[in-house]
Amino acid sequence: MITLGIDIGGSGIKGALVDTEKGEMVTDRLRIPTPQPAKPQAVIGVLKEIVDHFEYSGPIGVGIPAIVIKGVTHSAANIDDDWIGYASQQAMAEATGCPVVLGNDADVAGLAEMRFGAGQGQLGTVMIFTLGTGIGSAVFVNGRFLPNTELGHLYLRNMKRDAEDYAAERIRDEKNLSWKQWGKRLNTYFQHIEFLFSPELIIIGGGISKKHDEFLPYIKTRATIVPAELRNEAGIVGAAVLAAESS
Ligand code: BGC
């Protein structure tokens, strides 16, 4: 099924048509900067632009950096607080005239990696992390999925701040950290994750995962740790798969 997938990020909103059986984008990706402030009406206006650009009608899958329960967003770490408690899925459907399935951005990226990428056929506990503006997480146990984990918001000992404010890709960029400095921060974070969850496999996604050679060598875990195979496309592909499967 060809389905529109949209990934709402802290800096860009990206969409493409996806072949959901193959897990592949079948058009170029359209990227529109995220409106600032990223309030619901402004962001939903961009979704409408993306739908119009592809002259699309049909189910739409959308990933958003928030906790999503039954179409309602319940947190807003890198978007405007107006999303908290907002019936986002319904508002998106009304604005676009298409049925919308909304999920957490890291959850849908994780779904794509499990189905088509580095997690294919992997049993045991598999954890997918997206490193970007924040740190997103998705957890699968024997292929079954635990939604809405927010492991970027763990507190690390003595840090007095969320882990994502210490180790996200945004922090590497803002603080101009060397790969080694950032790698050490990631090592602290993933060793703590490993202590808490003992996963068999950790998959690292987000745009920066294409530079995995620079930072993965600093992360020493018992678990196998690998870059995502769908890289930055996982969010779009996973969102489309979620919508295709729910319709
Ligand atoms: C948000 C998550 C999101 C992650 C990656 C975090 O700040 O709380 O919901 O998955 O960023 O975008």
Side-chain angles (χ1 to χ4, degrees):
M1 185 172 174
I2 303 296
T3 305
L4 179 61
I6 298 180
D7 183 20
I8 300 175
S11 60
I13 301 178
K14 294 143 277 181
L17 296 181
V18 174
D19 179 330
T20 57
E21 272 95 45
K22 293 191 182 140
E24 283 169 11
M25 297 189 347
V26 295
T27 60
D28 281 344
R29 192 177 79 135
L30 174 67
R31 181 186 189 279
I32 298 177
T34 306
Q36 302 299 337
K39 288 192 178 285
Q41 285 319 315
V43 168
I44 292 172
V46 173
L47 297 198
K48 174 95 179 66
E49 252 183 80
I50 295 177
V51 172
D52 292 347
H53 169 87
F54 289 106
E55 298 177 349
Y56 180 80
S57 76
I60 307 174
V62 181
I64 189 165
I67 295 169
V68 182
I69 302 171
K70 295 188 178 143
V72 177
T73 35
H74 287 278
S75 66
N78 295 304
I79 47 174
D80 194 86
D81 280 355
D82 282 4
W83 289 93
I84 299 173
Y86 188 66
S88 306
Q89 182 175 282
Q90 191 187 334
M92 289 172 183
E94 281 168 9
T96 58
C98 297
V100 169
V101 182
L102 184 66
N104 171 266
D105 59 350
D107 280 352
V108 300
L111 178 69
E113 277 301 320
M114 291 302 288
R115 193 68 60 82
F116 303 107
Q120 271 183 84
Q122 291 286 337
L123 296 175
T125 303
V126 181
M127 305 182 81
I128 295 111
F129 293 87
T130 57
L131 304 178
T133 310
I135 296 180
S137 57
V139 180
F140 291 80
V141 181
N142 292 332
R144 295 204 55 188
F145 161 57
L146 173 67
N148 286 314
T149 56
E150 284 286 344
L151 300 178
H153 297 282
L154 274 183
Y155 295 134
L156 295 171
R157 195 179 310 164
N158 300 332
M159 303 267 174
K160 298 196 174 82
R161 56 189 153 166
D162 287 15
E164 70 174 22
D165 293 328
Y166 175 70
E169 150 62 5
R170 168 179 50 90
I171 303 298
R172 184 190 72 83
D173 193 41
E174 282 171 11
K175 297 208 174 301
N176 224 345
L177 299 178
S178 67
W179 291 114
K180 184 174 181 186
Q181 286 168 323
W182 189 50
K184 284 182 159 180
R185 288 184 177 212
L186 290 172
N187 188 43
T188 304
Y189 177 63
F190 285 113
Q191 289 204 347
H192 190 51
I193 289 285
E194 173 153 272
F195 179 71
L196 296 177
F197 296 97
S198 295
E200 271 85 19
L201 177 65
I202 297 174
I203 302 173
I204 306 293
I208 198 69
S209 61
K210 60 177 175 292
K211 303 222 172 114
H212 58 92
D213 284 347
E214 305 280 5
F215 62 87
L216 281 192
Y218 297 108
I219 307 175
K220 309 281 180 214
T221 51
R222 226 171 26 245
T224 309
I225 183 159
V226 296
E229 285 174 12
L230 283 84
R231 306 282 194 267
N232 226 7
E233 291 178 9
I236 296 173
V237 171
V241 169
L242 185 70
E245 291 184 355
S246 318
S247 58

